[in-house]
Amino acid sequence: VWELASGGERHTFPAGSAVGAVGFADGQVVAACDDGKVHWWNLGDGKEVRGEAAGGRPVTLAVAADGAAVVAWANRAEQAAGVRAIPA
């Protein structure tokens, strides 16, 4: 994540695997990763807030504007899992 005003790097978030999708809500960055989880990081300090199983390898996600929910879609060609709503 980069600071727009300065153009300098603010944080690097260690996903531990490839990231399929990223979203932002309520001061957090949310990423769907190849490790089968959706990860939340705090934008202020860069620390991971939580990781939640996505029911498959998520390839895309949607984050509610208020951060109250995340929906992650798994790649159906590789997984039997489809869509999982994750309360934030």
Side-chain angles (χ1 to χ4, degrees), residues 66-88:
D66 63 0
V70 172
V71 177
W73 287 266
N75 184 338
R76 287 189 173 267
E78 298 177 10
Q79 310 290 107
V83 176
R84 173 153 188 243
I86 303 169

mmCIF file with all atom_site columns, all heavy atoms in Angstrom, residues 66-88:
data_model
loop_
_atom_site.group_PDB
_atom_site.id
_atom_site.type_symbol
_atom_site.label_atom_id
_atom_site.label_alt_id
_atom_site.label_comp_id
_atom_site.label_asym_id
_atom_site.label_entity_id
_atom_site.label_seq_id
_atom_site.pdbx_PDB_ins_code
_atom_site.Cartn_x
_atom_site.Cartn_y
_atom_site.Cartn_z
_atom_site.occupancy
_atom_site.B_iso_or_equiv
_atom_site.pdbx_formal_charge
_atom_site.auth_seq_id
_atom_site.auth_comp_id
_atom_site.auth_asym_id
_atom_site.auth_atom_id
_atom_site.pdbx_PDB_model_num
ATOM 1   N N   . ASP A 1 66 ? -19.456 -0.724  4.417   1.00 0.00 ? 66 ASP A N   1
ATOM 2   C CA  . ASP A 1 66 ? -19.254 -0.476  5.844   1.00 0.00 ? 66 ASP A CA  1
ATOM 3   C C   . ASP A 1 66 ? -18.334 -1.509  6.491   1.00 0.00 ? 66 ASP A C   1
ATOM 4   O O   . ASP A 1 66 ? -18.092 -1.470  7.688   1.00 0.00 ? 66 ASP A O   1
ATOM 5   C CB  . ASP A 1 66 ? -20.590 -0.425  6.580   1.00 0.00 ? 66 ASP A CB  1
ATOM 6   C CG  . ASP A 1 66 ? -21.353 -1.736  6.532   1.00 0.00 ? 66 ASP A CG  1
ATOM 7   O OD1 . ASP A 1 66 ? -20.854 -2.726  5.926   1.00 0.00 ? 66 ASP A OD1 1
ATOM 8   O OD2 . ASP A 1 66 ? -22.456 -1.790  7.102   1.00 0.00 ? 66 ASP A OD2 1
ATOM 9   N N   . GLY A 1 67 ? -17.832 -2.461  5.701   1.00 0.00 ? 67 GLY A N   1
ATOM 10  C CA  . GLY A 1 67 ? -16.928 -3.483  6.214   1.00 0.00 ? 67 GLY A CA  1
ATOM 11  C C   . GLY A 1 67 ? -17.619 -4.578  6.998   1.00 0.00 ? 67 GLY A C   1
ATOM 12  O O   . GLY A 1 67 ? -16.965 -5.430  7.580   1.00 0.00 ? 67 GLY A O   1
ATOM 13  N N   . ALA A 1 68 ? -18.951 -4.604  7.004   1.00 0.00 ? 68 ALA A N   1
ATOM 14  C CA  . ALA A 1 68 ? -19.693 -5.560  7.816   1.00 0.00 ? 68 ALA A CA  1
ATOM 15  C C   . ALA A 1 68 ? -19.696 -6.974  7.246   1.00 0.00 ? 68 ALA A C   1
ATOM 16  O O   . ALA A 1 68 ? -19.983 -7.925  7.959   1.00 0.00 ? 68 ALA A O   1
ATOM 17  C CB  . ALA A 1 68 ? -21.130 -5.089  8.005   1.00 0.00 ? 68 ALA A CB  1
ATOM 18  N N   . ALA A 1 69 ? -19.388 -7.131  5.970   1.00 0.00 ? 69 ALA A N   1
ATOM 19  C CA  . ALA A 1 69 ? -19.396 -8.467  5.367   1.00 0.00 ? 69 ALA A CA  1
ATOM 20  C C   . ALA A 1 69 ? -18.449 -8.514  4.181   1.00 0.00 ? 69 ALA A C   1
ATOM 21  O O   . ALA A 1 69 ? -18.190 -7.503  3.526   1.00 0.00 ? 69 ALA A O   1
ATOM 22  C CB  . ALA A 1 69 ? -20.805 -8.843  4.922   1.00 0.00 ? 69 ALA A CB  1
ATOM 23  N N   . VAL A 1 70 ? -17.937 -9.706  3.935   1.00 0.00 ? 70 VAL A N   1
ATOM 24  C CA  . VAL A 1 70 ? -17.096 -9.984  2.778   1.00 0.00 ? 70 VAL A CA  1
ATOM 25  C C   . VAL A 1 70 ? -17.672 -11.223 2.107   1.00 0.00 ? 70 VAL A C   1
ATOM 26  O O   . VAL A 1 70 ? -18.055 -12.176 2.777   1.00 0.00 ? 70 VAL A O   1
ATOM 27  C CB  . VAL A 1 70 ? -15.633 -10.265 3.215   1.00 0.00 ? 70 VAL A CB  1
ATOM 28  C CG1 . VAL A 1 70 ? -14.796 -10.737 2.050   1.00 0.00 ? 70 VAL A CG1 1
ATOM 29  C CG2 . VAL A 1 70 ? -15.028 -9.032  3.858   1.00 0.00 ? 70 VAL A CG2 1
ATOM 30  N N   . VAL A 1 71 ? -17.749 -11.195 0.783   1.00 0.00 ? 71 VAL A N   1
ATOM 31  C CA  . VAL A 1 71 ? -18.169 -12.372 0.034   1.00 0.00 ? 71 VAL A CA  1
ATOM 32  C C   . VAL A 1 71 ? -16.985 -12.801 -0.818  1.00 0.00 ? 71 VAL A C   1
ATOM 33  O O   . VAL A 1 71 ? -16.412 -11.994 -1.544  1.00 0.00 ? 71 VAL A O   1
ATOM 34  C CB  . VAL A 1 71 ? -19.395 -12.074 -0.863  1.00 0.00 ? 71 VAL A CB  1
ATOM 35  C CG1 . VAL A 1 71 ? -19.773 -13.295 -1.678  1.00 0.00 ? 71 VAL A CG1 1
ATOM 36  C CG2 . VAL A 1 71 ? -20.570 -11.623 -0.015  1.00 0.00 ? 71 VAL A CG2 1
ATOM 37  N N   . ALA A 1 72 ? -16.582 -14.075 -0.705  1.00 0.00 ? 72 ALA A N   1
ATOM 38  C CA  . ALA A 1 72 ? -15.451 -14.602 -1.470  1.00 0.00 ? 72 ALA A CA  1
ATOM 39  C C   . ALA A 1 72 ? -15.939 -15.696 -2.404  1.00 0.00 ? 72 ALA A C   1
ATOM 40  O O   . ALA A 1 72 ? -16.709 -16.562 -1.995  1.00 0.00 ? 72 ALA A O   1
ATOM 41  C CB  . ALA A 1 72 ? -14.397 -15.157 -0.515  1.00 0.00 ? 72 ALA A CB  1
ATOM 42  N N   . TRP A 1 73 ? -15.482 -15.639 -3.659  1.00 0.00 ? 73 TRP A N   1
ATOM 43  C CA  . TRP A 1 73 ? -15.831 -16.661 -4.641  1.00 0.00 ? 73 TRP A CA  1
ATOM 44  C C   . TRP A 1 73 ? -14.627 -17.553 -4.870  1.00 0.00 ? 73 TRP A C   1
ATOM 45  O O   . TRP A 1 73 ? -13.524 -17.078 -5.094  1.00 0.00 ? 73 TRP A O   1
ATOM 46  C CB  . TRP A 1 73 ? -16.197 -16.027 -5.974  1.00 0.00 ? 73 TRP A CB  1
ATOM 47  C CG  . TRP A 1 73 ? -17.505 -15.333 -6.009  1.00 0.00 ? 73 TRP A CG  1
ATOM 48  C CD1 . TRP A 1 73 ? -18.695 -15.861 -6.402  1.00 0.00 ? 73 TRP A CD1 1
ATOM 49  C CD2 . TRP A 1 73 ? -17.766 -13.976 -5.666  1.00 0.00 ? 73 TRP A CD2 1
ATOM 50  N NE1 . TRP A 1 73 ? -19.683 -14.908 -6.312  1.00 0.00 ? 73 TRP A NE1 1
ATOM 51  C CE2 . TRP A 1 73 ? -19.141 -13.736 -5.866  1.00 0.00 ? 73 TRP A CE2 1
ATOM 52  C CE3 . TRP A 1 73 ? -16.974 -12.925 -5.206  1.00 0.00 ? 73 TRP A CE3 1
ATOM 53  C CZ2 . TRP A 1 73 ? -19.733 -12.512 -5.628  1.00 0.00 ? 73 TRP A CZ2 1
ATOM 54  C CZ3 . TRP A 1 73 ? -17.561 -11.707 -4.960  1.00 0.00 ? 73 TRP A CZ3 1
ATOM 55  C CH2 . TRP A 1 73 ? -18.925 -11.511 -5.181  1.00 0.00 ? 73 TRP A CH2 1
ATOM 56  N N   . ALA A 1 74 ? -14.860 -18.866 -4.857  1.00 0.00 ? 74 ALA A N   1
ATOM 57  C CA  . ALA A 1 74 ? -13.795 -19.826 -5.138  1.00 0.00 ? 74 ALA A CA  1
ATOM 58  C C   . ALA A 1 74 ? -13.826 -20.202 -6.609  1.00 0.00 ? 74 ALA A C   1
ATOM 59  O O   . ALA A 1 74 ? -14.861 -20.104 -7.267  1.00 0.00 ? 74 ALA A O   1
ATOM 60  C CB  . ALA A 1 74 ? -13.968 -21.072 -4.273  1.00 0.00 ? 74 ALA A CB  1
ATOM 61  N N   . ASN A 1 75 ? -12.685 -20.651 -7.116  1.00 0.00 ? 75 ASN A N   1
ATOM 62  C CA  . ASN A 1 75 ? -12.579 -21.096 -8.493  1.00 0.00 ? 75 ASN A CA  1
ATOM 63  C C   . ASN A 1 75 ? -13.247 -22.461 -8.625  1.00 0.00 ? 75 ASN A C   1
ATOM 64  O O   . ASN A 1 75 ? -12.719 -23.465 -8.170  1.00 0.00 ? 75 ASN A O   1
ATOM 65  C CB  . ASN A 1 75 ? -11.101 -21.182 -8.886  1.00 0.00 ? 75 ASN A CB  1
ATOM 66  C CG  . ASN A 1 75 ? -10.910 -21.540 -10.331 1.00 0.00 ? 75 ASN A CG  1
ATOM 67  O OD1 . ASN A 1 75 ? -11.783 -22.113 -10.972 1.00 0.00 ? 75 ASN A OD1 1
ATOM 68  N ND2 . ASN A 1 75 ? -9.752  -21.207 -10.854 1.00 0.00 ? 75 ASN A ND2 1
ATOM 69  N N   . ARG A 1 76 ? -14.406 -22.519 -9.233  1.00 0.00 ? 76 ARG A N   1
ATOM 70  C CA  . ARG A 1 76 ? -15.167 -23.761 -9.327  1.00 0.00 ? 76 ARG A CA  1
ATOM 71  C C   . ARG A 1 76 ? -14.472 -24.818 -10.170 1.00 0.00 ? 76 ARG A C   1
ATOM 72  O O   . ARG A 1 76 ? -14.721 -25.995 -10.021 1.00 0.00 ? 76 ARG A O   1
ATOM 73  C CB  . ARG A 1 76 ? -16.565 -23.498 -9.856  1.00 0.00 ? 76 ARG A CB  1
ATOM 74  C CG  . ARG A 1 76 ? -17.440 -22.830 -8.840  1.00 0.00 ? 76 ARG A CG  1
ATOM 75  C CD  . ARG A 1 76 ? -18.871 -22.806 -9.347  1.00 0.00 ? 76 ARG A CD  1
ATOM 76  N NE  . ARG A 1 76 ? -19.742 -22.318 -8.321  1.00 0.00 ? 76 ARG A NE  1
ATOM 77  C CZ  . ARG A 1 76 ? -20.393 -23.092 -7.463  1.00 0.00 ? 76 ARG A CZ  1
ATOM 78  N NH1 . ARG A 1 76 ? -20.250 -24.393 -7.505  1.00 0.00 ? 76 ARG A NH1 1
ATOM 79  N NH2 . ARG A 1 76 ? -21.179 -22.568 -6.557  1.00 0.00 ? 76 ARG A NH2 1
ATOM 80  N N   . ALA A 1 77 ? -13.589 -24.426 -11.073 1.00 0.00 ? 77 ALA A N   1
ATOM 81  C CA  . ALA A 1 77 ? -12.872 -25.412 -11.876 1.00 0.00 ? 77 ALA A CA  1
ATOM 82  C C   . ALA A 1 77 ? -11.929 -26.241 -11.012 1.00 0.00 ? 77 ALA A C   1
ATOM 83  O O   . ALA A 1 77 ? -11.634 -27.385 -11.322 1.00 0.00 ? 77 ALA A O   1
ATOM 84  C CB  . ALA A 1 77 ? -12.099 -24.717 -12.986 1.00 0.00 ? 77 ALA A CB  1
ATOM 85  N N   . GLU A 1 78 ? -11.478 -25.666 -9.909  1.00 0.00 ? 78 GLU A N   1
ATOM 86  C CA  . GLU A 1 78 ? -10.536 -26.348 -9.030  1.00 0.00 ? 78 GLU A CA  1
ATOM 87  C C   . GLU A 1 78 ? -11.153 -26.789 -7.721  1.00 0.00 ? 78 GLU A C   1
ATOM 88  O O   . GLU A 1 78 ? -10.644 -27.682 -7.075  1.00 0.00 ? 78 GLU A O   1
ATOM 89  C CB  . GLU A 1 78 ? -9.354  -25.431 -8.728  1.00 0.00 ? 78 GLU A CB  1
ATOM 90  C CG  . GLU A 1 78 ? -8.570  -25.060 -9.955  1.00 0.00 ? 78 GLU A CG  1
ATOM 91  C CD  . GLU A 1 78 ? -7.453  -24.099 -9.612  1.00 0.00 ? 78 GLU A CD  1
ATOM 92  O OE1 . GLU A 1 78 ? -7.181  -23.874 -8.428  1.00 0.00 ? 78 GLU A OE1 1
ATOM 93  O OE2 . GLU A 1 78 ? -6.836  -23.579 -10.560 1.00 0.00 ? 78 GLU A OE2 1
ATOM 94  N N   . GLN A 1 79 ? -12.229 -26.163 -7.303  1.00 0.00 ? 79 GLN A N   1
ATOM 95  C CA  . GLN A 1 79 ? -12.816 -26.429 -6.004  1.00 0.00 ? 79 GLN A CA  1
ATOM 96  C C   . GLN A 1 79 ? -14.310 -26.687 -6.161  1.00 0.00 ? 79 GLN A C   1
ATOM 97  O O   . GLN A 1 79 ? -14.951 -26.154 -7.058  1.00 0.00 ? 79 GLN A O   1
ATOM 98  C CB  . GLN A 1 79 ? -12.666 -25.216 -5.077  1.00 0.00 ? 79 GLN A CB  1
ATOM 99  C CG  . GLN A 1 79 ? -11.298 -24.634 -4.984  1.00 0.00 ? 79 GLN A CG  1
ATOM 100 C CD  . GLN A 1 79 ? -10.335 -25.533 -4.259  1.00 0.00 ? 79 GLN A CD  1
ATOM 101 O OE1 . GLN A 1 79 ? -9.474  -26.118 -4.897  1.00 0.00 ? 79 GLN A OE1 1
ATOM 102 N NE2 . GLN A 1 79 ? -10.453 -25.646 -2.985  1.00 0.00 ? 79 GLN A NE2 1
ATOM 103 N N   . ALA A 1 80 ? -14.857 -27.435 -5.255  1.00 0.00 ? 80 ALA A N   1
ATOM 104 C CA  . ALA A 1 80 ? -16.287 -27.640 -5.235  1.00 0.00 ? 80 ALA A CA  1
ATOM 105 C C   . ALA A 1 80 ? -16.984 -26.459 -4.572  1.00 0.00 ? 80 ALA A C   1
ATOM 106 O O   . ALA A 1 80 ? -18.174 -26.252 -4.741  1.00 0.00 ? 80 ALA A O   1
ATOM 107 C CB  . ALA A 1 80 ? -16.622 -28.921 -4.481  1.00 0.00 ? 80 ALA A CB  1
ATOM 108 N N   . ALA A 1 81 ? -16.216 -25.675 -3.813  1.00 0.00 ? 81 ALA A N   1
ATOM 109 C CA  . ALA A 1 81 ? -16.802 -24.539 -3.093  1.00 0.00 ? 81 ALA A CA  1
ATOM 110 C C   . ALA A 1 81 ? -17.217 -23.442 -4.056  1.00 0.00 ? 81 ALA A C   1
ATOM 111 O O   . ALA A 1 81 ? -16.607 -23.261 -5.099  1.00 0.00 ? 81 ALA A O   1
ATOM 112 C CB  . ALA A 1 81 ? -15.795 -23.992 -2.088  1.00 0.00 ? 81 ALA A CB  1
ATOM 113 N N   . GLY A 1 82 ? -18.233 -22.728 -3.700  1.00 0.00 ? 82 GLY A N   1
ATOM 114 C CA  . GLY A 1 82 ? -18.701 -21.627 -4.525  1.00 0.00 ? 82 GLY A CA  1
ATOM 115 C C   . GLY A 1 82 ? -18.530 -20.315 -3.814  1.00 0.00 ? 82 GLY A C   1
ATOM 116 O O   . GLY A 1 82 ? -17.433 -19.823 -3.638  1.00 0.00 ? 82 GLY A O   1
ATOM 117 N N   . VAL A 1 83 ? -19.606 -19.758 -3.335  1.00 0.00 ? 83 VAL A N   1
ATOM 118 C CA  . VAL A 1 83 ? -19.604 -18.445 -2.699  1.00 0.00 ? 83 VAL A CA  1
ATOM 119 C C   . VAL A 1 83 ? -19.745 -18.620 -1.195  1.00 0.00 ? 83 VAL A C   1
ATOM 120 O O   . VAL A 1 83 ? -20.535 -19.428 -0.721  1.00 0.00 ? 83 VAL A O   1
ATOM 121 C CB  . VAL A 1 83 ? -20.782 -17.595 -3.236  1.00 0.00 ? 83 VAL A CB  1
ATOM 122 C CG1 . VAL A 1 83 ? -20.857 -16.264 -2.526  1.00 0.00 ? 83 VAL A CG1 1
ATOM 123 C CG2 . VAL A 1 83 ? -20.642 -17.413 -4.740  1.00 0.00 ? 83 VAL A CG2 1
ATOM 124 N N   . ARG A 1 84 ? -18.988 -17.869 -0.441  1.00 0.00 ? 84 ARG A N   1
ATOM 125 C CA  . ARG A 1 84 ? -19.097 -17.899 1.023   1.00 0.00 ? 84 ARG A CA  1
ATOM 126 C C   . ARG A 1 84 ? -19.133 -16.477 1.527   1.00 0.00 ? 84 ARG A C   1
ATOM 127 O O   . ARG A 1 84 ? -18.251 -15.682 1.220   1.00 0.00 ? 84 ARG A O   1
ATOM 128 C CB  . ARG A 1 84 ? -17.911 -18.612 1.647   1.00 0.00 ? 84 ARG A CB  1
ATOM 129 C CG  . ARG A 1 84 ? -17.946 -18.498 3.165   1.00 0.00 ? 84 ARG A CG  1
ATOM 130 C CD  . ARG A 1 84 ? -17.260 -19.622 3.870   1.00 0.00 ? 84 ARG A CD  1
ATOM 131 N NE  . ARG A 1 84 ? -17.543 -19.489 5.279   1.00 0.00 ? 84 ARG A NE  1
ATOM 132 C CZ  . ARG A 1 84 ? -16.616 -19.267 6.204   1.00 0.00 ? 84 ARG A CZ  1
ATOM 133 N NH1 . ARG A 1 84 ? -15.356 -19.195 5.879   1.00 0.00 ? 84 ARG A NH1 1
ATOM 134 N NH2 . ARG A 1 84 ? -16.974 -19.132 7.454   1.00 0.00 ? 84 ARG A NH2 1
ATOM 135 N N   . ALA A 1 85 ? -20.170 -16.154 2.291   1.00 0.00 ? 85 ALA A N   1
ATOM 136 C CA  . ALA A 1 85 ? -20.255 -14.847 2.934   1.00 0.00 ? 85 ALA A CA  1
ATOM 137 C C   . ALA A 1 85 ? -19.579 -14.941 4.288   1.00 0.00 ? 85 ALA A C   1
ATOM 138 O O   . ALA A 1 85 ? -19.827 -15.869 5.045   1.00 0.00 ? 85 ALA A O   1
ATOM 139 C CB  . ALA A 1 85 ? -21.697 -14.425 3.107   1.00 0.00 ? 85 ALA A CB  1
ATOM 140 N N   . ILE A 1 86 ? -18.703 -14.007 4.598   1.00 0.00 ? 86 ILE A N   1
ATOM 141 C CA  . ILE A 1 86 ? -17.942 -14.014 5.836   1.00 0.00 ? 86 ILE A CA  1
ATOM 142 C C   . ILE A 1 86 ? -18.288 -12.738 6.599   1.00 0.00 ? 86 ILE A C   1
ATOM 143 O O   . ILE A 1 86 ? -17.961 -11.645 6.130   1.00 0.00 ? 86 ILE A O   1
ATOM 144 C CB  . ILE A 1 86 ? -16.436 -14.066 5.578   1.00 0.00 ? 86 ILE A CB  1
ATOM 145 C CG1 . ILE A 1 86 ? -16.091 -15.294 4.735   1.00 0.00 ? 86 ILE A CG1 1
ATOM 146 C CG2 . ILE A 1 86 ? -15.659 -14.061 6.885   1.00 0.00 ? 86 ILE A CG2 1
ATOM 147 C CD1 . ILE A 1 86 ? -14.665 -15.283 4.201   1.00 0.00 ? 86 ILE A CD1 1
ATOM 148 N N   . PRO A 1 87 ? -18.949 -12.853 7.746   1.00 0.00 ? 87 PRO A N   1
ATOM 149 C CA  . PRO A 1 87 ? -19.203 -11.626 8.517   1.00 0.00 ? 87 PRO A CA  1
ATOM 150 C C   . PRO A 1 87 ? -17.894 -11.027 8.983   1.00 0.00 ? 87 PRO A C   1
ATOM 151 O O   . PRO A 1 87 ? -17.016 -11.749 9.417   1.00 0.00 ? 87 PRO A O   1
ATOM 152 C CB  . PRO A 1 87 ? -20.065 -12.084 9.688   1.00 0.00 ? 87 PRO A CB  1
ATOM 153 C CG  . PRO A 1 87 ? -20.160 -13.556 9.614   1.00 0.00 ? 87 PRO A CG  1
ATOM 154 C CD  . PRO A 1 87 ? -19.457 -14.033 8.383   1.00 0.00 ? 87 PRO A CD  1
ATOM 155 N N   . ALA A 1 88 ? -17.764 -9.739  8.895   1.00 0.00 ? 88 ALA A N   1
ATOM 156 C CA  . ALA A 1 88 ? -16.506 -9.083  9.259   1.00 0.00 ? 88 ALA A CA  1
ATOM 157 C C   . ALA A 1 88 ? -16.406 -8.887  10.762  1.00 0.00 ? 88 ALA A C   1
ATOM 158 O O   . ALA A 1 88 ? -17.255 -9.090  11.518  1.00 0.00 ? 88 ALA A O   1
ATOM 159 C CB  . ALA A 1 88 ? -16.401 -7.733  8.562   1.00 0.00 ? 88 ALA A CB  1
#
